[in-house]
Amino acid sequence: MEMLQNKHSVCIAPVQVVDMATLMRYVNSSRMGHRSIALNCSASVARAFGVAAGKPLPAKVKIVEVGPRDGLQNEKTVVPAEVKIRLIDMLSEAGLPVIEATSFVSPKWVPQMADQVEVMQGIHKKPGVNYPVLTPNLKGFQAAVKAGAQEVAIFGAASELFSKKNINCSVEESLQRFEEVTKAAKEQGVLVRGYVSCVLGCPYEGKVSPEKVAQVAKRLYAMGCYEISLGDTIGVGTPGGMGEMLEAVKREVPVDALAVHCHDTYGQALANILVALQMGITVVDSSIAGLGGCPYAQGASGNVATEDVVYMLHGLGIQTGVDLHKLMDAGAFICQFLNRRTSSKVAQASCKL
Amino acid sequence: MGNIPSAVKHCLSYETLAQDYPWLVRWLQEEKFGAICEFPKTVKIVEVGPRDGLQNEKMADHVDVLKGITKSPHVKYPVLTPNLHGYQAAVEAGASEVAVFGSASETFSKKNINCSIEESMLRFKEVISSAKQADIPVRGYVSCALGCPYEGDVEPAKVTEVAKMLYDLGCYEVSLGDTIGVGTPKSMAKVLQSVMKEVPSSALAVHCHDTYGQALANILIALQMGISVVDSSVAGLGGCPYAPGASGNVSTEDVVYMLHGMGIETGVNLSKVINAGEFICQALNRRTNSKVAQAKSCHCVP
């Protein structure tokens, strides 16, 4: 069994647990010719070893709700502050532990977030719940803290072209800006969450190397981000790519400090999240009602729906602290205001449209 | 040395190993290392759109359809046959493969086909017996494998019992259907663990509905457990008759996108499937349920 378990480990995390002696015992064993491992490592093998069903999953997962910021930012209809506040309060009541409330980017670029101060000051901050806000630079950070923010988020990218097109500077320049933010945040006791965009593909560069993602994640973690959320910005990732990318990042950042932010543009989000859970990730970003389309594909979907994620997690026996019914109420509320259909399949199936 | 994990580099015998087992070096460097070791190399897609999908949209004249299609060699065109009468009509119309639908839930069986599971098996026995004589393969389905709209939870042991019955009667393949899409990877794993004790995994398929968005995750876990046959429906045709307005079958495009992304071969040309999906959605005047098709039609940059 020890050999078999090592074989299992080899499949998942070859770098950490390759035990050469055990590996070679396996290679030389009569059970399988050596060629068979690489070329014929089929499902029957996995089944014979009984590994797949036994992949350990976390007992708890923290959901980071990004709907009010990431979601609404990508909706065309400008939502008044009181509706945003009501939405965030409903999400707090639903038991979400982290709710991204707004963004301190210049309203010139993101008119949807122009009411940032009003929202920040208007929401009922439930004890035990975090309300991070996006801050692209030191100026945004200062405004956020002035408005009462106790946690901020900074967005890096694993793609140079995406960084230039999105925030008008190179990845290195952006990291230097963020260092100013993390330094100030440390001094003021403010938590910082880091994001890495384009971890599984870039709308401009196409493929993105897992090593590049790992480098950016490592920099953000080293400068003081308590958590790094790895974003499949255009939703092109599939489970194989998610696994490879996480393997690379886990070599540089502890898995407890990692989160996944999967977009459902190609319907792959839940499968990608499942693989991430199997690899030890315990923090998942999602958006109520799947708010927020894909800015690179007009009409296509974007963020994965929180309801669908919670449904899967609860079905897996994983605790989230979230009340799915209250969550669906919040989704129904915002969709009604936006006069749009929910992107959540769970909500559709439950007739909470 | 390239991208060799440091743990291996530090192994004193590495250089010797690299000499004696050059394939090992390639294996460790292989990008899709994890993926190759965990999943089947090829997956067979069973397209159910024209029957299961359209049945929930519109029902075409089955005889005209079966006689009208251009049958490609090496492609199978199974047809559903609930009883001997249906089987005989199918054979007369040119069917060379048939399918029978059992259920893991008694209530569902009674409500859906007006008889108990046991009675349905007697009917299927007649079909399979005749099919055997005519050398016509029979595919079996088990509905409500992960939940029933009437009974709620379904015991994996019951699913196993029905799957085994169909397999023992002579079905070459048994497709386990999450009829109302309520399953999650845990319940999928439990059912598969149970069924695989009685039916070889090579004779099993999964038929996941995406009503709660869980289909691809459920298919993924099935692949991890050794299943290599997946049912799906082009454009995700076919809603859920038990949840009006909700989706039903998982989209073939989305399944193929995932499989190809994982390096799993299907033999399917994704662009052509997308085209087929566009064609039928236009005819039905409805939007595709496939996210891949939606993204591609929106000219997403990749």
Side-chain angles (χ1 to χ4, degrees):
Chain A
M1 278 317 290
E2 181 200 359
M3 191 191 304
L4 301 183
Q5 280 169 6
N6 276 334
K7 173 66 174 70
H8 162 65
S9 300
V10 164
C11 277
I12 293 174
V15 173
Q16 284 91 333
V17 297
V18 163
D19 173 71
M20 289 312 296
T22 308
L23 176 62
M24 293 324 302
R25 275 203 301 278
Y26 177 77
V27 165
N28 292 326
S29 75
S30 57
R31 177 168 270 213
M32 250 194 176
H34 63 262
R35 289 253 165 234
S36 297
I37 298 177
L39 305 177
N40 192 30
C41 203
S42 65
S44 61
V45 173
R47 190 178 66 257
F49 292 168
V51 296
K55 283 190 204 298
L57 293 177
K60 288 184 184 170
V61 160
K62 177 176 83 174
I63 304 262
V64 174
E65 171 58 51
V66 301
R69 199 284 303 168
D70 191 7
L72 290 183
Q73 183 168 301
N74 285 296
E75 295 286 329
K76 287 197 184 81
T77 316
V78 174
V79 178
E82 58 265 24
V83 176
K84 288 191 182 113
I85 289 165
R86 177 82 190 113
L87 172 65
I88 292 169
D89 288 349
M90 287 181 84
L91 293 169
S92 299
E93 283 312 302
L96 288 157
V98 183
I99 302 166
E100 204 176 56
T102 185
S103 166
F104 282 80
V105 176
S106 164
K108 190 172 65 174
W109 302 115
V110 187
Q112 181 73 276
M113 300 287 135
D115 53 10
Q116 54 208 203
V117 175
E118 194 182 340
V119 167
M120 206 54 209
Q121 294 180 342
I123 55 175
H124 165 65
K125 288 185 183 160
K126 193 176 175 197
V129 180
N130 288 9
Y131 299 91
V133 299
L134 191 62
T135 54
N137 48 38
L138 193 59
K139 185 174 166 205
F141 169 77
Q142 286 157 349
V145 170
K146 194 168 162 194
Q150 293 169 312
E151 180 176 330
V152 300
I154 53 181
F155 264 76
S159 151
E160 284 294 346
L161 267 177
F162 187 85
S163 188
K164 290 207 175 83
K165 297 238 181 192
N166 212 37
I167 53 174
N168 214 18
C169 64
S170 70
V171 170
E172 182 56 40
E173 282 164 349
S174 72
L175 290 172
Q176 282 166 16
R177 277 185 211 174
F178 298 147
E179 265 176 10
E180 295 179 336
V181 172
T182 54
K183 190 167 171 244
K186 209 184 256 180
E187 285 164 7
Q188 299 184 48
V190 173
L191 289 171
V192 184
R193 188 181 204 241
Y195 282 83
V196 184
S197 305
C198 298
V199 301
L200 296 180
C202 170
Y204 310 105
E205 289 185 8
K207 269 194 167 182
V208 172
S209 96
E211 288 309 319
K212 180 74 181 174
V213 179
Q215 276 167 37
V216 177
K218 184 181 179 180
R219 286 284 297 275
L220 289 170
Y221 185 67
M223 69 173 77
C225 292
Y226 77 93
E227 195 168 89
I228 314 295
S229 178
L230 304 166
D232 180 14
T233 305
I234 48 172
V236 289
T238 51
M242 171 63 86
E244 286 168 31
M245 183 274 296
L246 286 177
E247 270 180 18
V249 177
K250 277 167 64 176
R251 289 198 274 272
E252 307 293 349
V253 180
V255 72
D256 291 343
L258 293 174
V260 289
H261 183 112
C262 298
H263 277 201
D264 205 36
T265 317
Y266 288 77
Q268 308 296 305
L270 286 192
N272 291 340
I273 289 168
L274 181 63
V275 163
L277 296 175
Q278 290 176 336
M279 293 188 70
I281 300 295
T282 56
V283 185
V284 175
D285 298 1
S286 58
S287 176
I288 186 73
L291 288 183
C294 178
Y296 305 95
Q298 290 300 317
S301 64
N303 287 306
V304 66
T306 305
E307 299 93 316
D308 299 357
V309 173
V310 168
Y311 183 93
M312 180 174 80
L313 295 177
H314 288 183
L316 288 169
I318 295 173
Q319 287 173 34
T320 63
V322 175
D323 180 325
L324 183 54
H325 293 288
K326 288 186 178 174
L327 192 65
M328 288 200 283
D329 286 342
F333 164 76
I334 193 63
C335 286
Q336 204 164 30
F337 178 82
L338 291 169
N339 193 26
R340 60 157 274 180
R341 201 177 182 217
T342 181
S343 288
S344 157
K345 291 219 164 173
V346 169
Q348 288 169 20
S350 312
C351 297
K352 297 250 181 181
L353 298 171
Chain B
M1 256 185 210
N3 194 22
I4 308 290
S6 51
V8 174
K9 278 184 198 169
H10 292 146
C11 175
L12 290 173
S13 60
Y14 178 74
E15 279 74 23
T16 316
L17 281 170
Q19 215 173 340
D20 294 346
Y21 300 93
W23 63 269
L24 178 60
V25 176
R26 283 198 303 278
W27 178 46
L28 289 168
Q29 281 177 324
E30 175 63 62
E31 256 186 73
K32 290 192 201 305
F33 180 87
I36 287 174
C37 275
E38 290 188 27
F39 303 103
K41 279 187 68 185
T42 60
V43 161
K44 177 176 84 173
I45 303 271
V46 175
E47 172 58 49
V48 301
R51 199 281 306 164
D52 190 6
L54 289 183
Q55 180 170 294
N56 283 294
E57 309 270 349
K58 278 182 192 172
M59 194 53 176
D61 186 328
H62 42 266
V63 176
D64 285 347
V65 168
L66 200 51
K67 286 187 167 163
I69 56 176
T70 306
K71 289 184 184 165
S72 274
H74 313 301
V75 180
K76 296 191 184 165
Y77 301 90
V79 297
L80 189 61
T81 53
N83 49 39
L84 194 59
H85 177 70
Y87 167 78
Q88 286 159 347
V91 170
E92 205 180 302
S96 51
E97 180 173 325
V98 298
V100 294
F101 263 74
S103 165
S105 150
E106 280 294 351
T107 316
F108 188 84
S109 187
K110 291 206 176 86
K111 295 241 183 194
N112 211 38
I113 53 174
N114 215 18
C115 64
S116 70
I117 295 174
E118 197 179 329
E119 284 163 348
S120 71
M121 290 297 149
L122 292 172
R123 289 182 201 174
F124 300 150
K125 197 174 176 186
E126 294 180 330
V127 170
I128 296 169
S129 176
S130 299
K132 222 182 240 179
Q133 285 172 17
D135 220 9
I136 288 178
V138 183
R139 191 180 203 240
Y141 283 82
V142 182
S143 305
C144 299
L146 300 179
C148 170
Y150 309 105
E151 290 183 13
D153 283 342
V154 173
E155 282 298 322
K158 190 67 189 177
V159 180
T160 302
E161 194 188 314
V162 177
K164 182 175 173 15
M165 273 195 272
L166 288 168
Y167 185 68
D168 288 346
L169 279 175
C171 292
Y172 76 91
E173 197 168 87
V174 178
S175 178
L176 306 171
D178 182 11
T179 305
I180 47 170
V182 289
T184 54
K186 187 177 181 182
S187 52
M188 172 63 86
K190 269 190 183 162
V191 164
L192 286 176
Q193 264 179 337
S194 176
V195 177
M196 277 162 46
K197 287 182 188 146
E198 303 293 341
V199 181
S201 67
S202 54
L204 290 172
V206 289
H207 183 111
C208 297
H209 277 202
D210 205 36
T211 317
Y212 289 78
Q214 309 295 305
L216 285 192
N218 292 342
I219 289 167
L220 182 70
I221 203 99
L223 297 174
Q224 289 177 336
M225 292 183 72
I227 303 300
S228 58
V229 183
V230 176
D231 297 1
S232 59
S233 176
V234 66
L237 286 183
C240 179
Y242 304 95
S247 62
N249 286 306
V250 67
S251 306
T252 301
E253 299 91 318
D254 299 359
V255 173
V256 169
Y257 182 92
M258 180 175 81
L259 296 175
H260 288 185
M262 290 162 64
I264 296 172
E265 289 173 22
T266 62
V268 174
N269 181 319
L270 180 54
S271 305
K272 289 189 176 177
V273 175
I274 292 174
N275 289 345
E278 278 170 6
F279 164 76
I280 193 62
C281 286
Q282 211 163 25
L284 291 169
N285 192 28
R286 60 156 277 180
R287 201 182 182 212
T288 179
N289 274 336
S290 158
K291 290 219 163 170
V292 169
Q294 286 169 24
K296 296 283 188 195
S297 75
C298 296
H299 306 297
C300 192
V301 175

